[in-house]
């Protein structure tokens, strides 16, 4: 288990308001795969380095299992923490062969092992990451994916209780990244190891995590399972950062019955599911995922009378992506919507259509506060489609 409480870190030179990590708290349960997800510069690596002991926090407390490793009085150095680490740039030692790379952690520090025990552990770790038989190969003669697996074997060889992973897959090409994603998840589950994973890649986070903490400006905006984060985003920032969505600003008008309200948007009135976290008195946003938008080929208008959330529009373009087609629809009001449909359908560009936004797929969410520094982050756009 990893417990982080009230973690604070400001780098020298940063102003008082520019904390890299600002009063951050979270708990990773035993055997859990927990991900810190957020845009560049939000403090993910800094948090991980504090857990690893590679940075000193300005305040807060960190425990690994029953051991407090960081507090006002305590600082346990990295090599005494029961952790394995994997970083983006593999960091395998080029002058060593595969065997020696993995054996290295067993040859340093207080816990030195006998040669036989070392050999068993190295061979086990190499089998685990599917590099058995390559132990004499120089590490530089491995492919990117193999080097990444080598660094994973090295992180696991001391059988740590906690595995820390900082964007470990981002140097790999798309295909390899996907297969390593699955392998890494399988290995983590097989070992039951507690994993703290850092990424800015939302699809990686959704695919691999038991729980995700979405971070922004050194704080956690929302914590939840991948499904909660995707289907019940806490605000506009989370809705647009995790997945693609259609986002519109509006004001809540009347109630539309139990758990639903009518929101006045730039293209008309939209019936939406409410969320207890949202103050309905103020300005709100509406989010609806592209895969939930339904496109009807134009039929006589009376076919849609009484149906909620239907809007006339023109299908501007459809882009075939293999598994689906992504359509851009311009509504009569001039607003744009993105819709995804099955790739066997084929609607012609320029077609007049009726789009339906199913009521329970439309969610009222909080508007995002402006970013502290939006220069290098993918920010929530004020309205419209966020890809
Ligand atoms: N050694 C350092 N000295 C000064 N400022 C730093 C240092 N390392 C990071 N920062 C700053 O602290 C903030 C958080 O950085 P951090 O590396 O934790 O972000 P990150 O979420 O890991 O981003 P990325 O996705 O780009 O890796 C950023 O504003 C960054 O510029
Ligand atoms: Mg980082």
């Amino acid at each position: 288990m990893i417990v982080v409480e009230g973690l604070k870190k400001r780098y020298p030179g940063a102003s008082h308001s520019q904390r890299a990590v600002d009063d951050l708290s979270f708990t990773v349960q035993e055997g859990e795969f927990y991900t810190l997800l957020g845009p560049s510069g939000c403090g993910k690596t800094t948090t991980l380095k504090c857990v690893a002991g590679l940075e000193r926090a300005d305040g807060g407390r960190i425990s690994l299992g029953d051991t407090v490793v960081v507090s006002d009085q305590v600082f346990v150095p990295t090599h005494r923490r029961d952790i394995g680490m994997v970083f983006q740039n593999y960091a395998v030692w080029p002058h060593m062969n595969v065997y020696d790379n993995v054996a290295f952690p067993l040859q340093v520090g207080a816990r030195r092992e006998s040669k036989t025990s070392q050999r068993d552990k190295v061979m086990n770790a190499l089998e685990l990451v599917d590099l058995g038989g390559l132990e004499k190969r120089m590490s530089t003669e491995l492919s990117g994916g193999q080097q990444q697996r080598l660094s994973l074997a090295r992180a696991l060889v001391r059988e740590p209780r906690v595995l820390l992973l900082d964007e470990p897959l981002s140097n790999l090409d798309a295909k390899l990244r996907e297969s390593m994603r699955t392998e890494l998840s399988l290995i983590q589950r097989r070992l039951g190891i507690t994993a703290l994973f850092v990424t800015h890649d939302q699809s990686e986070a959704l695919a691999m995590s038991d729980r995700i903490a979405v971070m922004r400006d050194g704080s956690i905006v929302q914590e939840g399972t991948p499904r909660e984060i995707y289907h019940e985003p806490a605000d506009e920032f989370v809705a647009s950062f995790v997945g693609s969505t259609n986002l519109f600003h509006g004001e809540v008008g009347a109630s539309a019955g139990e758990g639903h309200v009518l929101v006045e948007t730039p293209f008309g009135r939209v019936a939406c599911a409410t969320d207890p976290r949202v103050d309905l008195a103020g300005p709100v946003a509406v989010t609806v995922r592209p895969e939930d938008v339904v496109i009807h080929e134009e039929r006589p208008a009376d076919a849609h009378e009484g149906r909620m959330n239907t809007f006339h529009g023109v299908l501007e373009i459809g882009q075939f992506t293999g598994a689906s087609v992504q359509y851009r629809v311009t509504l009569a009001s001039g607003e744009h919507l993105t819709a995804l449909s099955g790739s066997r359908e084929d609607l012609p560009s320029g077609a007049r259509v009726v789009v339906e936004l199913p009521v329970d797929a439309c969610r009222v969410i909080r508007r995002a506060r402006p970013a502290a520094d939006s220069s290098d982050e993918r920010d929530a756009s004020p309205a419209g489609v966020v890809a």
Side-chain angles (χ1 to χ4, degrees):
M1 192 160 88
I2 308 169
V3 182
V4 173
E5 294 162 284
L7 185 70
K8 296 179 192 73
K9 172 73 188 173
R10 191 173 60 229
Y11 288 104
S15 77
H16 274 275
S17 61
Q18 286 180 318
R19 278 215 178 112
V21 175
D22 197 1
D23 202 10
L24 196 72
S25 302
F26 60 90
T27 297
V28 186
Q29 300 297 341
E30 204 67 38
E32 191 177 28
F33 196 110
Y34 189 94
T35 298
L36 303 176
L37 169 69
S40 183
C42 73
K44 305 179 296 292
T45 295
T46 305
T47 305
L48 206 71
K49 282 184 169 169
C50 290
V51 175
L54 299 172
E55 280 295 349
R56 276 181 188 256
D58 300 330
R61 207 178 138 91
I62 300 176
S63 318
L64 300 175
D66 301 329
T67 315
V68 176
V69 292
V70 173
S71 75
D72 290 346
Q73 290 87 34
V74 177
F75 182 83
V76 176
T78 302
H79 65 273
R80 295 246 164 77
R81 297 189 189 188
D82 196 2
I83 53 173
M85 288 181 274
V86 183
F87 293 105
Q88 179 175 357
N89 53 2
Y90 327 139
V92 296
W93 287 294
H95 57 288
M96 291 184 191
N97 67 19
V98 167
Y99 184 94
D100 291 337
N101 259 280
V102 180
F104 189 77
L106 302 173
Q107 295 162 345
V108 293
R111 284 197 318 192
R112 213 157 299 179
E113 313 247 353
S114 75
K115 279 267 183 270
T116 338
S117 149
Q118 271 185 34
R119 182 153 188 92
D120 287 349
K121 288 190 173 176
V122 171
M123 296 317 251
N124 270 341
L126 287 174
E127 282 303 326
L128 193 66
V129 301
D130 212 12
L131 285 180
L134 291 182
E135 53 278 8
K136 297 215 173 68
R137 187 83 72 83
M138 286 309 285
S139 58
T140 44
E141 291 163 2
L142 297 177
S143 71
Q146 288 171 327
Q147 289 192 33
Q148 193 53 290
R149 279 186 276 153
L150 175 56
S151 62
L152 183 59
R154 197 179 48 194
L156 293 173
V157 73
R158 286 207 305 180
E159 295 164 21
R161 298 244 303 270
V162 166
L163 186 60
L164 305 176
L165 303 141
D166 192 352
E167 311 251 5
L169 309 180
S170 60
N171 266 351
L172 307 176
D173 67 57
K175 205 84 197 142
L176 198 52
R177 196 157 60 221
E178 257 179 49
S179 67
M180 273 301 291
R181 221 187 245 185
T182 314
E183 282 181 49
L184 189 55
S185 293
L186 286 172
I187 291 170
Q188 184 265 340
R189 270 175 222 186
R190 205 179 312 149
L191 297 179
I193 198 168
T194 305
L196 179 56
F197 183 79
V198 157
T199 184
H200 65 269
D201 181 329
Q202 42 98 14
S203 56
E204 210 166 89
L206 291 173
M208 299 176 73
S209 317
D210 292 313
R211 280 189 305 150
I212 298 172
V214 182
M215 285 183 69
R216 188 184 189 198
D217 300 336
S219 312
I220 293 177
V221 191
Q222 185 176 4
E223 184 188 63
T225 64
R227 280 184 167 76
E228 284 164 355
I229 297 281
Y230 187 79
H231 290 300
E232 299 160 34
D235 70 9
E236 213 180 344
F237 172 77
V238 178
S240 61
F241 190 75
V242 182
S244 306
T245 199
N246 295 292
L247 266 178
F248 300 97
H249 283 179
E251 308 272 341
V252 174
S255 162
E258 182 74 12
H260 295 94
V261 286
L262 297 172
V263 179
E264 304 293 342
T265 74
F267 57 92
R269 189 173 290 170
V270 182
C272 300
T274 52
D275 181 328
R277 295 168 297 186
V278 184
D279 171 16
L280 298 177
V284 297
V286 173
T287 170
V288 54
R289 298 283 181 192
E291 65 271 25
D292 291 327
V293 176
V294 184
I295 298 180
H296 299 280
E297 287 177 71
E298 204 184 30
R299 277 176 259 160
D302 61 315
H304 294 284
E305 257 176 32
R307 203 195 269 268
M308 300 271 258
N309 296 347
T310 51
F311 304 92
H312 288 274
V314 173
L315 200 157
E316 250 180 76
I317 187 167
Q319 288 178 316
F320 181 77
T321 64
S324 59
V325 185
Q326 180 172 321
Y327 291 104
R328 181 165 130 126
V329 181
T330 303
L331 301 177
S333 61
E335 306 287 323
H336 303 294
L337 270 177
T338 302
L340 280 187
S341 328
S343 63
R344 307 232 174 243
E345 285 169 58
D346 187 16
L347 298 169
S349 297
R352 300 192 150 277
V353 292
V354 174
V355 289
E356 179 184 351
L357 311 180
V359 176
D360 282 313
C362 298
R363 296 187 64 85
V364 171
I365 53 173
R366 278 199 307 257
R367 289 211 194 157
R369 60 177 170 75
D373 172 16
S374 59
S375 57
D376 63 351
E377 82 177 47
R378 191 178 128 185
D379 205 2
S381 76
V385 179
V386 180

